[in-house]
Amino acid sequence: MRREPYTLDARSADDVYRDAIRLARYYLPEWSLLWPDPATAEGQSYFDPTDPGLVLLKLLSRLHASLATQLNRAPDKHFLAFLSFFGMDLRAPRPAKVVLTFTLAEGNAPVLIAERTQVGAAADPELLFETTGELLALPAELEAACTLLPAADAWIDRGDVLREDVLSEADRVEPQLQPFEHALHLGSEALFKHRIALKELRVRLEGINLFQYFFARWSDGAGRELRPRFGVEPDVAADEPDQADSPYSPPDCSDTEGDAERYAVIEASFVDFFQASPAEVKGISSFWIAVRPAETVGVRAADAEILPQIFSISVTASSQRQKAEAAYANNTPVDLMMGGRPFGETPAVEDAFYLASEEVFSRAGATVTLEVQAETITPSPSVQLAWEYWTDAGWQPLLTVHDGTNALTQGGTVTFTCPAMDPVSIHGVESRWVRARIAAGGYGSPGQVSVIPPQADALNEWLDKYVADKSAALTDLRTKNINFGVYLPPAYTPPYISSLWLSYELIGRPDTTIAHNAFDVVEMPLGIVAPYRPELEPVSSYSFGFSPASFLRHVLGRTMSLFIVLEEDAPSRGVEQQIDDELVWEGWDGTAFRPLTVMDRTDGFTTSGLVEIQIPTWITESTRFDKTLVWLRLSAPQREPRWLPRIKRVAPNAVLAENALLWTNQVLGSGTAAPGLVLEFPRKPILDGEVVEVREQVTGQPGTAPAELYAWRRWEKVTTFTFSKADDRHYMLDPTTGELSFGDGIRGMAPPLGENNIRAASYSSGGGAYGNLPPGQLTVLEQAITGVESVTNVLAAKGGMDADDLDTLRRLGPKRLKAMDRAMSAEDFATLALASSPSVGRATAYATGDRLIVAIVPREDTEEPMPASFLIEEVEAYLRARAFFAVADAITVVEPEYVAIDVEVGASLDPGANETDVRARMIGRLSDFFKPLGGEKQPAGWDFRATVTCDMVARGLQGIPSVARIHDIAISRRDPIQRAILTMADRQLPAAGALRLEVRRGG
C-alpha cells in the first residue's frame, strides 16, 4: 500500500544555513562582529564567498539537505529499521489505573489492606486489579461536609460529597448557597407579649453606624414578618472630617430596603403587633422580636469598621383601646359599653367600682389610661375616691393617679403607673383588679327625717294655724323635750358612665439581647451591643466532620487516606497560582486550627487524586456548623482567599490500584549457550518494569561449596542488539507476544547452559484498553478480608492503553529521534511528554516566568479529556529525568484549558424538518467536531494554540440531515463580540460551547 513519505527533517539547505548563522552569532560573536544586522533579511542569510567559514557552512548545509532528502524517501521497512537502530521501539501496553475505596463493617477496628490485594470486576471475574500499595483502612466515619465562604457571607452544606453510591449525574442536586444568619434578638415578656394587637410597638436604637439596611427585616418570635415604619435621626459624627475621610464606605444598597445614610438613631414602629406564645432562642423561653439586615447586605470582615454599634435599646408598647374584662358596682355587674352607674343608684361611702383586665393591669410599670365618657354632674359633689389595686396582701392604694374625670363626674381620663398586681377571683372572674372606692363625701343623700326643734321658726309658723296660745304650747313642748320631724326624700346625683376604655403605654428595655451570627448565638451583656459579627476566618474553606467516637479511638496517630474527586468541568486556576499557592489542611487542637502534614497526590487540586493526612494525637472534637464532630479544614491559599477546588466526592480509605498482576520468580526456560535463544513469558501482554535474571556460574574462593558457585544475575533490556558487545547481558522483549530474545554471542551474550536457569524475578502482565472500566464495576474481593464490608471504584478506571502499533511509531518516531531522549527546547519537552506514556495524546510546552509548563491531554474519546493525577505524576517524573538539571525542578505538568466556542448558525431547513431535532444534531456534531483528539469531521483533532475559523466550523456542520443550507456562521468566546477567527493561547484548546440556531425555512 502506498504511503505518504515520512519527514524526518523538513528543513531545506537555506533553512539549515540560516540556523547555522544564528548559532555562529551566539557562540562566535567576534567572528560575526562585522556582519549585517540580524534583524534584517540580509543579516539572517548573510554569505560572503571570501569567508572560508561561511563557505564551509554553506557546503555543510547542502550536504545536510541532501542526506535529509534521502532519509525522507526511505522505504517503510528501512525507515522502521532506522528508528529501531536509534532505540525508537514500540511501547508496551499501559495498565488502567483507578482508586479503590474500602468500607469497613460497622464498629470494626482498623484493617490492613495488603499491597497487591486483588479486586475483580463483577461483569468479568478474570479482569483483575491489584492495589499498588499498603492501606490501613480506618473507621473514619465522615458525617458532614461544609463549605465556608466568608467573602460571600455564606456557607454550603456539602452533604452530597458523602454519598456512598457510585457517582451519577442524573439525580445529583447542585448544593445551594446559604447566607449566614445575622440577627439581633430582643426578648421580653412584658414588652412583647400581647394577646391583643397593639396600636403601636416602637423600637428605638441609638448608636453609631446605624445604616437602615442593617435593620431592614423584622420578625416576631414565631418568625412572622413584621413591616416597620422608620424614623431616623442623622449621625452628626458622620459628617466630621475624620469620618468623611475614612477608607470604609457602605455597600451599594440601591436594590436593598432602606437607604445608605448613616444615622445615630433609628426607630422602627409596628402597628397591630401581637404575640401570644413564647419561643426559644438559645434555650431561653421568652417573647421575642428580631431584626436582620436586608437580604442583599452581607456582613463581611472588610466592612468591620462600618458595622453598627448600639448604645441604647428602648421599646415603647402602646395598646389599642380595649374593654375591661369585667366591671362591677359593688356586687352588681356594670355593662360599660351600654352605659351604667359605677357606684349604683345610691352611692355610699365604701361603695366601690371594680375593673378587671389581665391584658392591661399585668403591665407593671406601664402608664395605664382609663378613657371615660360620663355624664357631667353640676354642681360637682364633694366626694373623695380612693383608687386601689389588688395584691396578695390585700387592696393597696395606687400612688400615681391623675384623675381627669373629677371623681367620675365628667368625661375625661384617669391615668396611673401600673404596679405589680396579683391575680384574684372576684365575683368568679379570675383576673387582675383595680377599684375606685368612695373614701369620703358622696354623690347625694338618702331619704331621711329632718328634726325641727321647738324653737325653730318653722314650728312658730306652723303653730299659728292651729294653736291660740302659741307661747304656752311652745313652753310645754320645750318642758317635755318634744321635737317635730320632717321626712326628706332621697337626693342622689350618682355618676353615669356611658363608655370606658382601657389602654396602656409601656416603655422599657429588653430583658435579654442575643446576637445570632452564622452558627454562633451569644447573649449580649448590657452596654454597647455589636449585633453583627463577620466570619473571622479570612479565607474560604472546606470542613470535613468525622464521628468523634471512632475517630478519637482509632485514627489519632495514624495516616488517613482520602480520595478527593473534583468536578470535571471545574474552572482551573492560572498556572502561577497552581505553582505558588497551596491549599492548607488543618486540624482542631481544642483552641485553634493547626496545619497538618499531608501527602497531596491531586497536583494541587487540579485533578482528582489521593490525599494522605497524618493525624496527630492532639486533634480533638469541636463544634462547627452546629455539629460537634472531629473537623478537618481545607483552607484556600492566602493569595487567592476565595478560590476553592470544586469537590464532587470525598471517600476515606482509598488506595491506588492498576490492571496489572505481579508475578515473581517465574521460570522462563533453560539456557543452551547457543546463539539466538528465544523464550516466551507465560502471561502476556508484558508491562514495563520486568526483571529478567539468569543463573550463572561465578568465580568462587578456594574451598567454596559447588552450590555457591552459581548466582542469579540481572540482564538488561535493549531495543536492538546493534550496539551490544559479546559479553553484554542484553535481551529484547516483544511486550505483546511475550517473546524474549537473547543475543548470538557476538552482538549480545548468549545465556549459559543450564536447567531452568532463566527466570523473571518479577514482571507484571495485563494492561490495555480493556481495563478502562466505568465507575462501580470493581466490587469483588478475590479473597475476603475480615472487617471489610465492601469495595468499589467511585470513578472510572482510566489510562489503559494497548501496545503501540507501527502507525504510532511512524508518527511519533521522527519527533523522538529529534529529541534523542533529552529535553532542551520547548518542542523537546512536548515530544517527550508524548513519548512518556501511550496515554498522552496531545502535549505542548512553554515558559512562563521561571517555570516550564507542560500541558497534556490524555488519550480519551471524550469532549474535554482531563489527565488523572497519576498520569501527571508519571509525565512529570519522565520529563525531569531527561531535562537539564537546572530546569528539572521548574517543570510543572498541568491539564489543558478548554475554551468554549459559542456558535451562531443561520440555516434553512427542509420542509417538515423538526427544529428541535436539528438543533440536537448540531450540538452533537459540534461536540464531536471539537474533540481535541479528533472526531468524524476533524480527524486530526486540535492542537494547542489552534486557530478556529467560521469556515472550519461550517465544514464541520456539513451533511446534517434536514439542513438544506447554512447561510452564515458566527463564533465567539463567551463574550458578545462575534469574530470570524479565534486563536487559542498557550495551553488552550477549543471546546463546544452554546449553539444559537436561527431557522430560515423554505431555503
Side-chain angles (χ1 to χ4, degrees):
M1 182 177 66
R2 185 179 180 279
R3 64 164 181 83
E4 295 296 326
Y6 302 113
T7 304
L8 284 171
D9 193 337
R11 292 179 297 172
S12 65
D14 290 339
D15 293 334
V16 175
Y17 182 75
R18 280 193 294 269
D19 286 344
I21 290 295
R22 177 176 55 82
L23 294 173
R25 289 181 184 274
Y26 183 81
Y27 289 105
L28 300 169
E30 63 279 2
W31 180 26
S32 60
L33 186 64
L34 299 178
W35 294 356
D37 186 354
T40 65
E42 181 186 1
Q44 294 171 3
S45 303
Y46 174 67
F47 177 69
D48 182 0
T50 64
D51 187 332
L54 294 179
V55 171
L56 182 60
L57 291 180
K58 180 69 77 170
L59 291 174
L60 291 175
S61 64
R62 294 192 176 185
L63 176 61
H64 180 282
S66 176
L67 292 174
T69 300
Q70 296 302 315
L71 288 174
N72 289 338
R73 295 174 178 174
D76 186 55
K77 180 179 178 180
H78 293 173
F79 173 76
L80 295 177
F82 180 78
L83 294 178
S84 178
F85 179 82
F86 284 100
M88 307 298 133
D89 57 333
L90 296 174
R91 294 172 297 183
R94 290 299 177 101
K97 296 185 179 182
V98 70
V99 173
L100 299 177
T101 58
F102 292 81
T103 302
L104 299 184
E106 186 174 356
N108 210 81
V111 175
L112 181 65
I113 310 295
E115 184 179 359
R116 315 312 302 185
T117 295
Q118 294 185 350
V119 177
D124 184 357
E126 294 185 1
L127 181 57
L128 297 177
F129 280 68
E130 285 187 350
T131 59
T132 60
E134 184 178 270
L135 169 69
L136 182 63
L138 302 172
E141 301 172 17
L142 188 55
E143 293 190 356
C146 302
T147 305
L148 177 67
L149 303 171
D153 192 34
W155 70 290
I156 303 174
D157 184 351
R158 291 303 313 274
D160 58 302
V161 308
L162 311 180
R163 291 176 46 163
E164 296 184 358
D165 56 334
V166 174
L167 299 173
S168 171
E169 297 298 331
D171 56 349
R172 185 164 181 259
V173 178
E174 188 70 21
Q176 297 299 311
L177 192 71
Q178 302 182 49
F180 276 135
E181 170 78 345
H182 294 285
L184 177 63
H185 297 269
L186 309 177
S188 173
E189 181 174 353
L191 294 171
F192 302 131
K193 179 184 178 182
H194 303 282
R195 293 179 299 171
I196 300 174
L198 294 176
K199 177 182 179 183
E200 180 185 48
L201 178 71
R202 188 167 63 253
V203 180
R204 179 181 176 90
L205 308 176
E206 300 180 22
I208 60 174
N209 294 335
L210 303 186
F211 296 94
Q212 187 174 321
Y213 52 74
F214 277 128
F215 306 94
R217 296 181 295 146
W218 295 76
S219 62
D220 61 12
R224 181 174 60 96
E225 181 184 1
L226 304 176
R227 297 188 177 277
R229 293 178 299 179
F230 286 103
V232 296
E233 295 179 16
D235 186 352
V236 178
D239 299 328
E240 296 178 1
D242 61 331
Q243 294 288 338
D245 296 338
S246 171
Y248 298 97
S249 59
D252 180 13
C253 297
S254 56
D255 296 328
T256 67
E257 300 177 57
D259 54 41
E261 294 295 325
R262 191 193 314 252
Y263 299 109
V265 175
I266 285 183
E267 283 191 349
S269 60
F270 312 92
V271 296
D272 297 331
F273 176 85
F274 71 93
Q275 188 169 210
S277 301
E280 281 196 4
V281 176
K282 199 179 184 294
I284 300 174
S285 179
S286 185
F287 291 80
W288 300 91
I289 189 171
V291 59
R292 297 170 175 84
E295 289 185 354
T296 54
V297 173
V299 177
R300 304 174 180 87
D303 301 324
E305 292 294 328
I306 63 168
L307 294 178
Q309 296 185 49
I310 300 173
F311 304 151
S312 173
I313 303 174
S314 63
V315 180
T316 302
S318 302
S319 74
Q320 306 273 10
R321 296 192 315 168
Q322 53 193 276
K323 298 185 295 182
E325 295 174 16
Y328 283 87
N330 294 326
N331 298 323
T332 304
V334 179
D335 186 348
L336 295 177
M337 295 299 100
M338 298 297 294
R341 298 190 183 278
F343 300 107
E345 296 289 346
T346 57
V349 174
E350 298 301 323
D351 283 353
F353 174 43
Y354 294 86
L355 291 173
S357 176
E358 180 68 27
E359 178 67 18
V360 176
F361 297 151
S362 63
R363 307 293 172 177
T367 299
V368 176
T369 299
L370 279 59
E371 185 179 331
V372 180
Q373 295 292 329
E375 292 181 353
T376 302
I377 300 176
T378 306
S380 298
S382 177
V383 60
Q384 180 179 346
L385 298 182
W387 289 88
E388 298 170 329
Y389 67 97
W390 177 264
T391 69
D392 291 341
W395 290 102
Q396 305 294 327
L398 288 168
L399 300 179
T400 55
V401 179
H402 175 73
D403 186 357
T405 66
N406 194 18
L408 304 181
T409 62
Q410 62 185 30
T413 60
V414 177
T415 61
F416 58 86
T417 300
C418 185
M421 304 183 189
D422 295 319
V424 65
S425 178
I426 296 178
H427 303 305
V429 178
E430 180 80 18
S431 186
R432 300 175 197 268
W433 291 84
V434 168
R435 71 179 184 180
R437 178 176 56 84
I438 301 176
Y443 296 96
S445 59
Q448 59 184 348
V449 176
S450 179
V451 178
I452 303 177
Q455 62 271 29
D457 293 338
L459 183 60
N460 288 332
E461 295 174 1
W462 179 73
L463 288 175
D464 284 341
K465 296 180 182 180
Y466 303 102
V467 179
D469 188 356
K470 184 175 64 174
S471 178
L474 290 172
T475 300
D476 188 42
L477 290 172
R478 292 188 185 101
T479 302
K480 296 180 179 180
N481 198 24
I482 298 174
N483 293 323
F484 288 86
V486 179
Y487 175 74
L488 299 177
Y492 287 103
T493 54
Y496 181 85
I497 296 176
S498 57
S499 66
L500 185 148
W501 297 92
L502 304 177
S503 63
Y504 62 87
E505 181 178 89
L506 178 60
I507 302 176
R509 299 180 62 181
D511 302 326
T512 307
T513 303
I514 292 177
H516 186 169
N517 290 285
F519 297 97
D520 294 330
V521 184
V522 180
E523 187 172 351
M524 306 296 290
L526 297 176
I528 298 177
V529 174
Y532 305 131
R533 181 178 62 82
E535 175 55 52
L536 299 180
E537 295 182 17
V539 299
S540 300
S541 63
Y542 283 108
S543 291
F544 303 103
F546 296 83
S547 172
S550 57
F551 196 97
L552 297 177
R553 181 179 179 185
H554 296 294
V555 182
L556 298 187
R558 293 188 164 110
T559 298
M560 180 174 64
S561 174
L562 296 178
F563 182 35
I564 307 295
V565 181
L566 303 181
E567 297 280 2
E568 295 179 359
D569 60 346
S572 61
R573 295 193 294 163
V575 173
E576 297 288 341
Q577 286 78 11
Q578 292 181 25
I579 297 168
D580 297 331
D581 294 333
E582 293 184 356
L583 288 90
V584 180
W585 285 93
E586 299 167 301
W588 182 260
D589 68 358
T591 58
F593 277 101
R594 293 167 56 182
L596 301 175
T597 302
V598 175
M599 175 65 74
D600 178 16
R601 302 186 184 279
T602 66
D603 196 33
F605 285 91
T606 59
T607 183
S608 301
L610 294 176
V611 173
E612 297 175 355
I613 307 174
Q614 294 183 20
I615 305 299
T617 56
W618 47 256
I619 280 187
T620 187
E621 61 187 346
S622 61
T623 300
R624 287 173 65 81
F625 303 98
D626 271 350
K627 297 178 180 179
T628 302
L629 301 168
V630 177
W631 291 96
L632 302 184
R633 187 173 72 179
L634 176 62
S635 298
Q638 292 294 330
R639 287 179 55 185
E640 278 192 292
R642 300 185 183 185
W643 185 87
L644 285 175
R646 288 177 54 182
I647 295 178
K648 185 177 184 179
R649 170 78 182 273
V650 177
N653 298 324
V655 65
L656 187 64
E658 60 183 4
N659 176 216
L661 302 184
L662 178 66
W663 308 96
T664 59
N665 298 326
Q666 300 288 303
V667 174
L668 301 179
S670 302
T672 63
L677 177 65
V678 177
L679 301 175
E680 187 175 326
F681 279 78
R683 299 171 184 86
K684 39 195 172 290
I686 310 302
L687 304 179
D688 282 336
E690 79 285 346
V691 176
V692 174
E693 296 179 339
V694 177
R695 191 166 182 264
E696 302 177 24
Q697 186 175 12
V698 296
T699 302
Q701 298 296 326
T704 304
E708 296 177 356
L709 295 178
Y710 293 89
W712 291 101
R713 298 193 63 174
R714 181 173 180 175
W715 286 41
E716 180 184 355
K717 181 171 67 174
V718 294
T719 59
T720 177
F721 290 127
T722 304
F723 303 104
S724 299
K725 297 188 292 293
D727 57 350
D728 286 339
R729 292 174 173 82
H730 291 169
Y731 68 89
M732 294 175 59
L733 174 65
D734 185 332
T736 303
T737 63
E739 186 176 275
L740 179 67
S741 303
F742 293 94
D744 58 5
I746 299 174
R747 290 184 177 86
M749 181 178 176
L753 181 66
E755 184 177 353
N756 295 332
N757 64 332
I758 303 175
R759 73 176 183 182
S762 67
Y763 78 96
S764 297
S765 65
Y770 185 62
N772 296 329
L773 296 177
Q777 296 298 304
L778 296 170
T779 58
V780 180
L781 272 171
E782 286 299 290
Q783 186 173 2
I785 302 175
T786 303
V788 174
E789 184 178 274
S790 63
V791 61
T792 191
N793 59 309
V794 297
L795 284 188
K798 300 169 62 176
M801 298 295 298
D802 296 328
D804 279 348
D805 55 19
L806 291 178
D807 285 338
T808 302
L809 180 60
R810 293 181 184 112
R811 183 181 68 253
L812 189 58
K815 295 181 180 180
R816 293 175 60 188
L817 182 62
K818 180 179 182 298
M820 287 303 292
D821 211 33
R822 298 297 297 173
M824 299 300 293
S825 66
E827 183 182 359
D828 293 340
F829 279 99
T831 296
L832 292 181
L834 290 169
S836 65
S837 170
S839 298
V840 179
R842 189 86 70 214
T844 188
Y846 61 94
T848 174
D850 59 351
R851 310 296 298 184
L852 178 68
I853 307 303
V854 179
I856 62 173
V857 179
R859 191 176 297 280
E860 298 174 7
D861 187 25
T862 57
E863 295 176 18
E864 297 181 11
M866 301 293 281
S869 58
F870 55 78
L871 180 58
I872 288 177
E873 291 177 0
E874 179 181 350
V875 174
E876 202 164 90
Y878 187 90
L879 294 178
R880 287 181 175 175
R882 290 158 177 80
F884 184 56
F885 74 93
V887 181
D889 290 339
I891 298 171
T892 301
V893 179
V894 299
E895 78 281 3
E897 178 185 350
Y898 290 99
V899 178
I901 307 298
D902 294 340
V903 179
E904 293 189 19
V905 180
S908 298
L909 305 186
D910 293 336
N914 185 291
E915 182 178 338
T916 302
D917 292 342
V918 171
R919 179 178 285 104
R921 295 190 193 105
M922 283 189 175
I923 292 174
R925 177 65 65 81
L926 288 174
S927 297
D928 181 77
F929 176 72
F930 281 113
K931 284 182 178 178
L933 300 184
E936 179 183 353
K937 292 292 184 177
Q938 186 79 0
W942 298 89
D943 286 323
F944 291 98
R945 307 179 189 86
T947 296
V948 184
T949 67
C950 291
D951 290 342
M952 298 167 68
V953 176
R955 288 194 298 270
L957 292 176
Q958 287 179 352
I960 295 179
S962 302
V963 176
R965 179 185 175 191
I966 293 178
H967 298 277
D968 49 64
I969 286 180
I971 57 177
S972 62
R973 296 179 51 162
R974 292 290 166 93
D975 57 45
I977 303 175
Q978 297 176 353
R979 303 178 177 90
I981 300 176
L982 296 176
T983 301
M984 304 295 104
D986 289 323
R987 66 184 184 113
Q988 291 181 340
L989 290 169
L995 170 69
R996 182 175 179 271
L997 175 62
E998 181 183 344
V999 175
R1000 305 173 189 175
R1001 296 188 180 276

